[in-house]
Amino acid sequence: MKAFEASDDIPLTALKIVIAGGFGVGKTTMVATVSEIEPLTTEEILTTASAATDSLAGVENKTTTTVSMDFGRITLWRQQLQLLLFGTPGQDRFWFMWDDLALGSIGAVVLADTRRLDDCFSAVEFFEDRGVPFVVAVNEFDTAHRYTAEEVQAAIELNPDVPVIMFDARAPYSTQQVLIRLVEYALTLSLRSSPESEPALAPPTPTSPTTTFDGNPHRAL
């Protein structure tokens, strides 16, 4: 794949990105799928002691959970970018780590599972409250019903400008496109807020259209 071809002559811009979302939504899988290095994971075996706090509804086959963070790296030589990926833990009791993981990031990918869409609401609110750019990436599990990006956007009551992307966390190219879309979106917001400043990166060519809000917000699909 040409996007991954190395060259010592190409200067790289390093960008920190947070991969966030609810429990069992695919954060660790996403980081591991696209990372060019052996990903750092902090997964531990689920035990009966966590049964009262970690609901397995919809993810009954899940046997491990992230207790600190995931870390991976991907270099996009064509875009002259090196993306540093930090995956957050999903359970509420580990949320005290989110501020530290988000510090210095250019944006976040909020993963969503349409079978448990309400699990992503807290992550969306977290980044909205802190003014951190984010996109919502719907991980299309094999057993999940397929919805349009517009339907998901309306269900979460997102700002009309926030991109919603349908993808497969197990597929490297699909995951890469989500990350590129986030960088594009963060750059657009940066240029919009500072029209006089020089962009750190060359204006990108959009890879997918931004979805629109249909004016009929609701909280359940």
Side-chain angles (χ1 to χ4, degrees), residues 5 14 30-32 50 68 88 119 128 144 165 172 189:
E5 288 181 353
M30 180 178 182
V31 172
S50 66
S68 179
T88 67
D119 286 357
E128 284 180 339
I165 308 147
L189 293 183

Side-chain angles (χ1 to χ4, degrees), residues 16 27 32 41 63 77 92 96 114 118 120 152 154:
K16 180 180 180 181
K27 300 181 295 296
T41 62
T63 59
W77 294 100
D92 292 350
F96 66 91
T114 57
D118 56 343
C120 77
V152 173

